[in-house]
Amino acid sequence: MADLVRPNAVRAAAALKLADHLSGRPMTAGELAERAGAHEGMLGKLLRYLVELGILDADDAGRYTLTELGEPLRRDSPQSVGQYLSAEGLFGRIELGLVGLLHSVRTGEPCHAAAFGREYWDEINNDPVFVPALEAEGNQQIAWDAELIIEAYDWSRARRVLDVGGNDGTLLIELLTRHPHLHGTVLDLPNLARIAQRRIEQAGLADRAGAVAASFFDPLPTGYDVYLLSGILGDWSDERSITILRNCAEAAGPEGRVLLADIHLRVPAGTPNAARLELFLAASMPRPSRSVDELRELGRSAGLRVTWEGPSTPVRSLLEFSLAETAATGAESPREPAHA
């Protein structure tokens, strides 16, 4: 139950694309090492263990072939799990971070930094080794009820939107496609900003959109009507979430708005393997699910007041914030109630 060699061997095989290299013909350890960019001696040991696991076969000449069990490691397999399991993939890296689970249990904090020395998004978004994974595993269409952002919010009042932490640009591209009067910018760390810029250009929106590489923990560019935060705060503690919201508030100023479209990753009762999933989410994310009231309180702590509340689904909520009068003028004022 506690063996770490087997899962890491499988994930290393996935990252090295051994199944893909073997899909054409049998190969020796030397040939595979050249194809995969690996150390021949160490790869040979991995290959022999993969034979022991039944993922590969080997003949008397030392040539390796893929077994039926190993077929799903091929990227072109209909049931492919190769990218998902890759040690250099987005999901694979999250799961490998669970070796820091003891830190999470002792402190209540996510375990990734304890395992790798950097928080997950800081690592993924700055290390070039993860660029292929960001492109392969990134969203190709909006998800998690993001339709609410596009359809439920009154975009007629806005002309410019900054998608703060906008990932690969999928949401902004869809938003600008549906609302042709809008102009927008994706703001994210370097790896995703480059991918977003390329996708925006491929979508034919370069005249209305772009991407900038920056951190939302630093001061944000001013001059946008709406500062959109979609599925961001679950990855951050209350303290750091308040910092993100405060930076948005300061950039928006008295005339701008902050649209918080948070994702709620609750584990419903009766879900298969619920205990495992709850532990995984809690160890991977500081706050995988916050209530609307908790999001309101974060906004208040950042100097914002709710000016509109949109519809909610089991996985998504919408709150519009504006700079509180006390923050804008320094004078006390009553909090305004939210309205639908």
Side-chain angles (χ1 to χ4, degrees), residues 3 13 29 32 39 51-52 73 89 99 116 118 154 162 191 209 221 226 255 299 335-336 339:
D3 176 40
L32 279 169
H39 182 277
V51 170
E52 188 175 301
L73 288 176
V99 297
F116 296 118
R118 286 195 290 177
D154 182 8
L162 183 68
N191 286 347
V226 175
E255 304 301 321
R335 292 177 62 191
E336 294 188 11
H339 56 278

Side-chain angles (χ1 to χ4, degrees), residues 233-273:
L233 299 190
D235 287 318
W236 305 103
S237 66
D238 287 355
E239 181 181 3
R240 302 197 77 183
S241 293
I242 290 168
T243 298
I244 296 169
L245 287 167
R246 186 175 290 127
N247 286 344
C248 289
E250 291 174 355
E255 304 301 321
R257 299 178 295 280
V258 178
L259 181 59
L260 179 59
D262 218 40
I263 292 174
H264 314 291
L265 299 180
R266 299 184 183 92
V267 181
T271 300
N273 300 311

